[in-house]
Amino acid sequence: MSLELYLIRHGLAGERGTYTNDDERPLTEEGRQKTRQVARRLLDLKFQFDQILTSPLVRAKQTAEILVQAGLSQQLQTVECLAPAGQLEAWLEWLQTWQPPRNPRLALVGHEPDLSEWAEILLWGTAKGVLTLKKAGIIGLMLPDSRSPVGKSQLFWLTPPRFLIG
């Protein structure tokens, strides 16, 4: 069974450098509003994620919580591998232990440039620096049934939030 994977960048957050600990930088009001609009649009499109994994940083957790509050999933888990500079290998190990339902949809909420790099590695086997994920944007990948999706996945969606909230 193949997996629909959605890589979602956190929404617009407070200005970098204005917080003593960058991990605690929250979404701005505009970031919360736009993320809610994206979540509502996904719900309108009949999206439902079997699980949402999020980075432990405040801005990513707030984004993931907005997705859950919108009704896009009932399952939310914080994982360290989605923090900035997290390791794709750690997520792949998590994936091997996950017991997904039939036709699974999984969302990962994290940061740039990590999510784009992960997508490129899953697509081409190496990060090429050609994909860019906007804040509250989404990359959709279809991961194969094979043991390792690295270099074997397919891109089916890359959209900035403006195409979902306009």
Side-chain angles (χ1 to χ4, degrees):
M1 129 185 65
S2 55
L3 165 68
E4 282 184 34
L5 178 66
Y6 295 84
L7 305 172
I8 303 172
R9 185 175 178 189
H10 65 78
L12 183 64
E15 195 70 32
R16 177 171 277 158
T18 58
Y19 290 82
T20 305
N21 181 352
D22 191 63
D23 293 3
E24 296 174 5
R25 192 160 43 100
L27 295 179
T28 63
E29 183 55 38
E30 179 184 1
R32 285 190 292 276
Q33 288 176 3
K34 284 186 177 180
T35 302
R36 281 188 207 104
Q37 289 175 313
V38 167
R40 280 194 297 271
R41 183 65 180 132
L42 292 174
L43 205 56
D44 290 345
L45 293 169
K46 307 289 188 238
F47 269 78
Q48 189 69 49
F49 299 115
D50 298 298
Q51 187 157 0
I52 298 174
L53 301 181
T54 183
S55 157
L57 277 62
V58 170
R59 56 194 176 273
K61 286 176 79 171
Q62 289 175 329
T63 298
E65 288 165 358
I66 289 170
L67 299 175
V68 170
Q69 290 165 0
L72 291 166
S73 183
Q74 296 179 1
Q75 303 294 319
L76 176 60
Q77 181 181 350
T78 301
V79 292
E80 287 296 322
C81 62
L82 286 170
Q87 298 299 309
L88 175 63
E89 293 77 19
W91 176 75
L92 290 171
E93 287 176 18
W94 177 92
L95 185 61
Q96 291 300 317
T97 66
W98 187 45
Q99 299 295 314
R102 191 173 175 168
N103 302 315
R105 276 187 175 166
L106 177 65
L108 307 182
V109 179
H111 310 272
E112 278 294 282
D114 302 331
L115 292 177
S116 292
E117 289 175 359
W118 285 22
E120 292 176 353
I121 292 167
L122 291 169
L123 289 167
W124 303 304
T126 186
K128 298 180 178 217
V130 295
L131 295 179
T132 302
L133 188 55
K134 299 289 186 184
K135 290 181 178 137
I138 302 170
I139 294 175
L141 301 175
M142 186 65 69
L143 276 58
D145 297 341
S146 67
R147 187 144 181 88
S148 174
V150 173
K152 299 177 186 139
S153 300
Q154 295 179 329
L155 176 71
F156 66 86
W157 195 8
L158 172 59
T159 186
R162 66 186 162 107
F163 291 129
L164 294 170
I165 62 177

